[in-house]
Amino acid sequence: MPTSFLEIVELPDGRIELRRAEDEGSLVTLDFSEDAKAFLQGQHVEVAKAMLSVGVQMAGRLAEGEPEKDDGPRILH
């Protein structure tokens, strides 16, 4: 993926998107349930920022050819 500025946008329907600043297309969309928003006490945007930040860092490492560590079985929750 070419280098570009990324932005995190909260949409009117409450979903949170990561997209290129010069593009309206979504790269990633997060949609927190009402239960999750209540549990996070309104801080879901901050949680989304942290999640997306880690994801972008991981994608950058993978793009640079840094191999993913394989420490055993992967459990996806």
Side-chain angles (χ1 to χ4, degrees), residues 8 30 44-57:
I8 297 171
L30 298 175
H44 63 284
V45 174
E46 294 305 315
V47 171
K49 287 179 186 179
M51 293 169 69
L52 293 168
S53 176
V54 170
V56 168
Q57 290 173 20

Side-chain angles (χ1 to χ4, degrees), residues 21-39:
E22 69 277 357
D23 190 3
E24 290 293 315
S26 174
L27 297 170
V28 175
T29 302
L30 298 175
D31 189 7
F32 290 90
S33 70
E34 291 304 317
D35 286 343
K37 288 178 184 177
F39 176 77

